[in-house]
Amino acid sequence: MAEKLSVIHLLLVIAAAACIYLVIRELRRPYVSQWRLFAPGTAALFVAAEMFLIQVASGQPRWPFLVAALVGMVVGGVRALMIGLKHDLYRPQIMISQPAKQVLLLVGLGVGLCVVLDIVGTLARFPDLRLWATLSAVVCAAAMLAVAGADM
């Protein structure tokens, strides 16, 4: 069964693990730096872009991914409007409540789950499962980047 997997799947696992690690690292801090919010979103974007390219290469139309990205940006933008922002003398500090940190963790874990579902779909030859995993990864990545970008 392992012969169906490729180096791309290894890169997906590494990027998803990096995304989860970067989210957990930010959860330990009392406040979150604006620039550090981009780090897990960038790792999630890498996962989503790789999965998107696999789907496009297999003949999927591009418009569902555009819709998924727009949904993720709207969800992330609305979520960013609810995050408190305090300014000190040098830089803004994003004060994220504990429930909001848990949502950020769930989104990071969602990216990891999307990679797992993509690998399961590859091994079991379920192209629809891979499609939905890719769409979910695009939504998660767009939401993470929208939260990071809206607080700039």
Side-chain angles (χ1 to χ4, degrees):
M1 282 190 149
E3 64 271 0
K4 296 177 189 173
L5 298 178
S6 65
V7 176
I8 294 174
H9 290 97
L10 178 63
L11 292 174
L12 286 172
V13 169
I14 291 170
C19 179
I20 293 169
Y21 168 76
L22 291 168
V23 166
I24 290 172
R25 186 182 72 176
E26 288 307 310
L27 295 181
R28 295 183 187 153
R29 300 179 186 276
Y31 70 91
V32 178
S33 168
Q34 286 178 328
W35 295 108
R36 288 190 182 190
L37 272 180
F38 279 108
T42 304
L45 180 64
F46 181 78
V47 169
E50 278 192 49
M51 292 173 72
F52 165 75
L53 290 174
I54 292 170
Q55 290 296 317
V56 169
S58 69
Q60 292 291 335
R62 293 183 177 116
W63 67 266
F65 303 103
L66 176 64
V67 171
L70 291 175
V71 167
M73 284 191 268
V74 167
V75 169
V78 168
R79 183 69 195 117
L81 293 175
M82 297 178 199
I83 293 176
L85 189 63
K86 285 177 53 179
H87 289 275
D88 65 1
L89 295 176
Y90 299 107
R91 64 176 183 224
Q93 298 176 346
I94 301 170
M95 306 301 287
I96 299 179
S97 65
Q98 193 62 31
K101 287 182 179 181
Q102 291 172 352
V103 169
L104 183 63
L105 177 64
L106 288 176
V107 173
L109 291 174
V111 171
L113 178 64
C114 291
V115 170
V116 169
L117 290 176
D118 186 65
I119 291 172
V120 168
T122 301
L123 294 175
R125 295 182 189 239
F126 289 138
D128 289 340
L129 179 63
R130 295 183 74 195
L131 175 64
W132 284 105
T134 303
L135 291 172
S136 300
V138 169
V139 169
C140 290
M144 288 179 117
L145 289 174
V147 167
D151 287 327
M152 293 304 286

